[in-house]
Amino acid sequence: MTKRVVWGALFGALTVLATGCGDECVDQFDCRDKGVAPEGQQWTCNSDNTCELSTLTPVPEEDAGTEVDAGTEVDAGTDAGTDAGTEVDAGTDAGTEADAGTDAGMNVAKGGACTASGDCMAGLRCEASTCQSLYIAVTGNDGGTRALVTAYDVPGMTSLSAAGVASAYPRFGPGGTQVAFVQGDVTAAAGELAVRPVPLTAAAPTVLTTGTAAGNARIRYMEWEPGNLIAWVRGNTGISTLPATGGTPTSATVNGTFPDFAPNGTDYAYSAAGNGIYVSTGGAAPAPLSGSPTTGEQPHYNRVTSQLLFLANPDNRTVNFGTEATPVLRLYSLPVTGGGTPALLADTTSRAVTGGTVESYIANPNWAPDGSWVAYVRANFLLIGTAATLCGNTGTELCGSDPGNAIYLQRVNTTTGAAEGAPVLFAENATLPSFSPDGRLVAYVFGGALNVRAIDPATGQPTGTAIAHPKDTYTVLTSEGDDYRPRWQPR
């Protein structure tokens, strides 16, 4: 199929304007020194590059049972279990605020006074003694690849690199005060690893290293918070690390991919092709996680429990989307301390239809911060003979009502790591779910657009109306799977 891309003018955050240094602002972030806007309004940077107050769209009424409007086209995943479809043709109905948390201690609204982020409602953090919106970072395209940040509840993305400069893979640092990304040649060794402060300023990014200097390989699969080291994969295999203050990169492993840091910011896990999940604890050399299958990949630590999330293909089965062989993955959890027997959280499915079967595999899992829920994508496909086609594409009418991609939430026992109850359908024709650090919101990509929706933490059901960030300038990318998953600013 033809992927849909929005082509438009480049509106980078660091665009040089004809009016020169007398400008009051170049984007919304420059207006934050104006203080808290009056209720129902926000500060914006207008076309004259001055800060002005504008009226917020009224908060939509809650509609607890409404699902996101489904798109019409999906794209079969091609990365080894990482991309469960990419883009669908979506509507762009934008809400403004998701259902805010009302737990004890989470009762201060946006703009209200706070002493700690725990005071603030869902989706907010305490910054400069006021509750302000968390940012989300994604990789998008406006004719070139761009690392982007946006307030979760205010549509309008800002490029981290200068106008016309490619960038990708934005990752927040601990405390959410910095964001790292790759800029320049993002597909080869000449790419630069750079950081910028948050809130953004007009200052140029600080370059920490290049792919050439750090192993002569492309910088990808990058991770940062919660510790002070930035980790990435050198091209296709092997992990390097670098202090966020710069210096000389260290080769942490000679092979492996999908690095993920433990809550202490020092221990880490990764997967090595054909060998499964490895874990480094307390600075020791990485060792296989006991009980993890050799097909294990894409490990994810939980920030509270001892459970590690990962995908595996115990049957060593693949299906062909065109000429690309894709593993038929399942989702598991396993204690990261001591290992044991993996708990199955989401299985593959298969049902017979005329001339073939409708089947599914699991992709793009992500923990809720407290380990009580896990989000994942179920990719449904039609298999006729040896040819697989993601449901929703032309010729897959036998799929019936099954969408190509569907995001589910599964409750998990925080002690045992086992599934509890039935999975909850969260969004159809969507991918790359990502929980907010307070666990009350889920960001995901729908039709090439970033969406955010609140969840009921008791039932996992979506609540309220999804906040949609329209594709007016940028199309959010999904083709590199977890590398493109939305990342939330820490609270």
Side-chain angles (χ1 to χ4, degrees):
M1 61 163 281
T2 300
K3 294 183 182 179
R4 305 186 176 195
V5 179
V6 175
W7 295 86
L10 305 178
F11 295 106
L14 304 180
T15 303
V16 177
L17 302 171
T19 50
C21 61
D23 297 336
E24 185 179 26
C25 61
V26 294
D27 60 40
Q28 69 188 74
F29 298 97
D30 295 338
C31 298
R32 300 186 76 171
D33 60 359
K34 295 293 184 182
V36 178
E39 185 175 358
Q41 293 183 298
Q42 65 177 338
W43 287 108
T44 60
C45 186
N46 64 25
S47 60
D48 294 324
N49 302 105
T50 58
C51 297
E52 67 176 7
L53 287 169
S54 62
T55 302
L56 286 168
T57 305
V59 178
E61 294 182 2
E62 179 173 303
D63 182 5
T66 303
E67 294 296 327
V68 179
D69 181 33
T72 57
E73 293 185 12
V74 284
D75 182 16
T78 57
D79 227 11
T82 61
D83 179 24
T86 57
E87 294 165 0
V88 289
D89 186 19
T92 56
D93 181 35
T96 56
E97 291 188 7
D99 181 33
T102 55
D103 292 346
M106 289 178 60
N107 54 14
V108 180
K110 185 175 178 179
C114 58
T115 58
S117 291
D119 300 335
C120 303
M121 287 184 173
L124 307 177
R125 61 182 257 131
C126 190
E127 189 172 297
S129 299
T130 59
C131 291
Q132 301 180 27
S133 301
L134 288 168
Y135 292 122
I136 296 176
V138 296
T139 302
N141 187 294
D142 64 348
T145 305
R146 309 282 180 250
L148 306 166
V149 294
T150 181
Y152 93 90
D153 58 347
V154 183
M157 297 189 178
T158 300
S159 175
L160 294 172
S161 56
V165 176
S167 55
Y169 316 128
R171 306 288 190 264
F172 288 103
T177 60
Q178 294 187 89
V179 60
F181 57 100
V182 181
Q183 67 175 9
D185 189 353
V186 299
T187 62
E192 300 173 334
L193 174 57
V195 295
R196 287 187 67 180
V198 180
L200 300 182
T201 67
T206 299
V207 176
L208 301 182
T209 190
T210 67
T212 302
N216 198 34
R218 174 186 178 189
I219 299 173
R220 57 193 313 220
Y221 295 115
M222 193 165 65
E223 297 297 342
W224 186 358
E225 65 95 19
N228 295 317
L229 287 176
I230 301 174
W232 69 90
V233 174
R234 302 184 301 273
N236 293 322
T237 185
I239 297 167
S240 291
T241 61
L242 179 72
T245 53
T248 302
T250 298
S251 177
T253 71
V254 297
N255 60 8
T257 186
F258 295 110
D260 194 63
F261 283 113
N264 62 15
T266 302
D267 299 346
Y268 61 90
Y270 65 95
S271 55
N275 291 289
I277 308 297
Y278 280 68
V279 174
S280 171
T281 303
L289 177 58
S290 177
S292 64
T294 57
T295 58
E297 61 174 81
Q298 301 179 56
H300 293 278
Y301 279 96
N302 186 263
R303 294 300 168 85
V304 176
T305 73
S306 65
Q307 301 297 326
L308 195 73
L309 193 68
F310 65 93
L311 296 166
N313 181 15
D315 299 328
N316 285 301
R317 180 172 174 244
T318 62
V319 293
N320 292 326
F321 292 92
T323 60
E324 189 74 25
T326 298
V328 182
L329 296 167
R330 304 172 183 177
L331 180 62
Y332 299 87
S333 69
L334 183 66
V336 72
T337 302
T341 302
L344 180 63
L345 297 181
D347 204 351
T348 59
T349 60
S350 179
R351 60 182 173 85
V353 295
T354 303
T357 54
V358 173
E359 306 191 25
S360 70
Y361 63 88
I362 309 302
N364 310 130
N366 188 237
W367 278 118
D370 65 357
S372 61
W373 292 95
V374 62
Y376 62 87
V377 173
R378 181 173 295 280
N380 299 297
F381 61 94
L382 176 65
L383 184 64
I384 303 294
T386 60
T389 307
L390 207 65
C391 292
N393 285 315
T394 302
T396 59
E397 291 79 10
L398 292 174
C399 289
S401 61
D402 291 338
N405 304 324
I407 294 175
Y408 284 88
L409 269 57
Q410 173 64 59
R411 180 176 285 283
V412 178
N413 185 298
T414 56
T415 301
T416 66
E420 292 185 338
V424 178
L425 177 63
F426 190 82
E428 293 188 339
N429 295 304
T431 191
L432 300 180
S434 180
F435 283 95
S436 62
D438 50 47
R440 300 298 297 270
L441 303 166
V442 176
Y444 56 96
V445 183
F446 172 57
L450 175 67
N451 277 236
V452 180
R453 196 168 185 187
I455 68 169
D456 180 334
T459 66
Q461 291 287 344
T463 66
T465 302
I467 300 168
H469 293 247
K471 295 188 296 182
D472 49 4
T473 301
Y474 299 104
T475 296
V476 179
L477 300 179
T478 61
S479 59
E480 294 190 31
D482 192 70
D483 231 8
Y484 282 161
R485 173 171 51 85
R487 261 55 173 199
W488 287 83
Q489 180 186 26
R491 294 189 90 194

